[in-house]
Amino acid sequence: MIIENQQMVTTAVLEELKRAPNARFREIMGALVQHLHAFAREVKLTEEEFQTACAYVNAIGQKTTSTHNEAVLMAGSLGLSSLICLLNNGNKGQTETAANMLGPFWRKNSPRVNNGGSIVHSPTPGPALFVNARVIDSAKKPITDAEVDVWQSSTEGLYDNQDPRLKAMNLRGKFTTDKDGRFGFRSILPAGYPIPIDGPVGELLAAQGRHNMRPAHLHFLIFKPGFKTLISQVYVNGAPYLDSDVQFGVTRALVGDYVRHEGNPPAPDVKGEWYSLDYSFGMEKGEAKLPRAPIE
Ligand SMILES: [Fe+2]
């Protein structure tokens, strides 16, 4: 098609898209082109702004390495990750869900830990935390033999792959639910942490005058054939930044009741304050698939 005016560009691109044999590809790309072109018309994007935008997209890729995923951080900072999660869980966005974003720090091959064991694999300061969790189906029946990955930041707010002082795979563990659908472990209270701001995401936040903090949370990934893989985060009630998470991840269902105790600890080596968390994860029927690991 020879293009005669600005409207015709959109028509020409959509015409070419009709050649694509994959129907879902046609649907997604067709909508993308229409929205992208409409967006440029709406804001009357200038040539300079367009050049800046292209450089920005390139910078997201250039910033990404095997241990850092700038695209995931960007999607989170724009609320897109949270939206995609809520659209695809809780009966496709109709009901409350324990599902949450994967985040950029899940690693495959977490060390296997027995139920009740510790995920603190090398000395790491912080108040002791004892987690008792249950995995249930939509009829509230226990899900047995589910594989559960747990990962979290230290009390200083760093993951094992970010802090060279931490032993690899520290504060990570893989559990199997028992006959009552339960799993439990000992750890330390996680802390909130800043997301990296030395790349395009940092520029975005600075331009908006936003902080770059996430509230304290534990990460979970629960896998059981016959059920949709449940990716979750359980946030610490009362933690700073709970209502202004830079990644827009906090939903009501995911604010956990982390209870502070003093005395009568469940282990003799615990001195002073300690915390407990009881939480139930509801899984939906569906396909058990593992996500692509954001880092190696
Ligand atoms: Fe996290």
Side-chain angles (χ1 to χ4, degrees), residues 77-88:
S77 304
L78 293 172
L80 186 61
S81 308
S82 198
L83 174 64
I84 302 293
C85 176
L86 291 170
L87 286 175
N88 284 280

Side-chain angles (χ1 to χ4, degrees), residues 250-261:
V250 183
T251 64
R252 288 255 176 255
L254 291 172
V255 179
D257 190 19
Y258 292 70
V259 181
R260 184 179 178 277
H261 307 266

Side-chain angles (χ1 to χ4, degrees), residues 102-105 151-153 159 191 193 214-215 217-219 233:
L102 179 66
F105 295 122
W151 68 106
Q152 67 167 93
S153 70
Y159 287 80
Y193 54 83
R214 298 217 65 216
H217 55 271
L218 298 175
H219 287 272
Q233 301 185 37

Side-chain angles (χ1 to χ4, degrees), residues 174-197:
K174 190 185 281 294
F175 299 85
T176 305
T177 57
D178 69 11
K179 62 177 175 36
D180 299 316
R182 292 191 176 277
F183 69 95
F185 59 94
R186 175 176 173 173
S187 187
I188 53 170
L189 195 66
Y193 54 83
I195 64 164
I197 46 170

